[in-house]
Amino acid sequence: MPPEASETVISVRDVHKSYGKGQATTAVLRGVSLEIKQGEIVALIGQSGSGKSTLLNIIGSLDTWDKGSVEVMGIDFSKARESELAAMRNEKVGFVFQSFNLLEHLTCIENVILPASFTSIKENDAREQGMEALRRVGLGELAHRPPGELSGGQKQRVAIARALYNKPQLLLCDEPTGNLDSETGENVIEFFGELNREDGVTLLIVTHEERLSKFAQRVVHIRDGIIQSDETGVSGESKTNSDSVGEEKVS
Ligand SMILES: Nc1ncnc2c1ncn2[C@@H]1O[C@H](COP(=O)(O)OP(=O)(O)OP(=O)(O)O)[C@@H](O)[C@H]1O
Ligand SMILES: [Mg+2]
């Protein structure tokens, strides 16, 4: 059952993360707080290296952090067992990674349904759902080819099909339209909109693209590991809800 509307899906509080040790330490996230409710579409925007993928990976329980709290769909990551986090990733969250993360020795359909092998879903059912997801992104015909024979945009669509095949409640997307031509990009955005309207799917999308940030109901800007602004727009108007630091704008 989808969570109740207005229920908090993502709650990140004062999260810090650094890489390296001693003098070589680089602070990547410097006290990030973000709350996202069920059914929201949020675009995460910021320059290269600002910490977007790092934050997305932490929210997806794919990376660790140093300080602060992370709670996703009622699961407090600092208290959860790994098995609980794995179940959340497999059953409730869809990921579209910046680098696709497709396995070359498998076919497209096998890549799409790979997460099902960690659940109790029967292989035939998984294949059927996987084919449906591939058809939705226009790749039904290429289902049995390995990703190595596909273009960048086609690989990206396989990655999207894989994220969607298990009907997740939360979609975490890292540049999901970065390699798509404008028509395919539009189709993907339309598809995201449908998932949001019909199934109440919550979307957090890292993007450099204006059409995607326009599609989002809310745009969060991150700069040097700090949330600079957080704007909820309603048909052109925008309400700023900012803990902005300094006056600089993020391009
Ligand atoms: N494993 C790692 N070890 C050391 N530094 C890292 C590591 N992963 C990321 N970083 C650094 O953390 C910072 C943030 O990286 P991140 O991937 O989150 O940026 P981003 O906002 O997603 O950038 P882009 O738009 O280029 O994808 C960068 O300066 C990067 O060099
Ligand atoms: Mg990134």
Side-chain angles (χ1 to χ4, degrees):
M1 221 171 64
E4 298 269 315
S6 85
E7 192 174 301
T8 299
V9 173
I10 296 171
S11 175
V12 169
R13 298 228 172 105
D14 196 28
V15 162
H16 292 250
K17 181 176 178 75
S18 309
Y19 285 109
K21 284 194 181 136
Q23 293 221 310
T25 303
T26 321
V28 176
L29 299 179
R30 300 186 291 147
V32 167
S33 297
L34 182 65
E35 190 165 308
I36 296 178
K37 304 238 184 252
Q38 196 265 322
E40 280 194 286
I41 302 174
V42 181
L44 181 61
I45 292 180
Q47 284 165 354
S48 181
S50 56
K52 306 180 297 295
S53 296
T54 304
L55 179 59
L56 211 65
N57 287 340
I58 291 171
I59 290 170
S61 81
L62 296 169
D63 202 352
T64 56
W65 68 101
D66 305 327
K67 205 185 120 196
S69 73
V70 183
E71 203 175 307
V72 176
M73 286 184 281
I75 301 174
D76 181 341
F77 284 9
S78 60
K79 295 188 186 139
R81 271 184 276 164
E82 180 46 39
S83 58
E84 202 181 347
L85 295 174
M88 178 199 81
R89 287 192 300 264
N90 289 330
E91 292 160 25
K92 296 182 179 167
V93 182
F95 293 94
V96 181
F97 296 98
Q98 195 167 16
S99 51
F100 314 144
N101 290 1
L102 299 174
L103 298 177
E104 296 293 340
H105 64 282
L106 301 179
T107 63
C108 292
I109 180 70
E110 286 165 348
N111 265 286
V112 168
I113 67 172
L114 186 64
S117 54
F118 307 110
T119 69
S120 56
I121 300 173
K122 290 201 188 88
E123 180 163 347
N124 275 349
D125 295 343
R127 274 192 178 263
E128 218 165 278
Q129 272 173 244
M131 283 305 298
E132 175 58 27
L134 279 171
R135 281 193 286 268
R136 288 299 304 261
V137 295
L139 287 183
E141 313 251 293
L142 298 180
H144 302 290
R145 301 257 292 268
E149 294 177 16
L150 271 50
S151 72
Q154 288 169 334
K155 283 184 198 169
Q156 186 141 41
R157 284 186 280 156
V158 175
I160 291 169
R162 181 186 51 194
L164 294 173
Y165 103 96
N166 66 341
K167 303 199 164 50
Q169 294 165 22
L170 170 64
L171 257 186
L172 301 173
C173 305
D174 206 340
E175 300 283 0
T177 56
N179 290 278
L180 303 182
D181 61 78
S182 68
E183 193 189 330
T184 315
E186 285 301 327
N187 289 341
V188 166
I189 292 174
E190 216 170 274
F191 189 19
F192 283 171
E194 234 174 85
L195 288 165
N196 174 261
R197 281 192 308 277
E198 291 168 16
D199 306 325
V201 174
T202 307
L203 291 117
L204 176 57
I205 309 170
V206 171
T207 186
H208 284 106
E209 296 203 31
E210 207 183 332
R211 61 184 170 176
L212 247 183
S213 49
K214 277 191 176 147
F215 160 76
Q217 299 153 352
R218 182 175 158 197
V219 178
V220 173
H221 283 253
I222 185 167
R223 187 187 175 99
D224 296 337
I226 291 172
I227 305 265
Q228 244 209 340
S229 68
D230 185 339
E231 297 186 332
T232 304
V234 186
S235 51
E237 291 168 38
S238 75
K239 185 185 96 197
T240 302
N241 171 17
S242 155
D243 20 290
S244 63
V245 177
E247 298 293 305
E248 283 171 288
K249 275 200 175 142
V250 178
S251 58

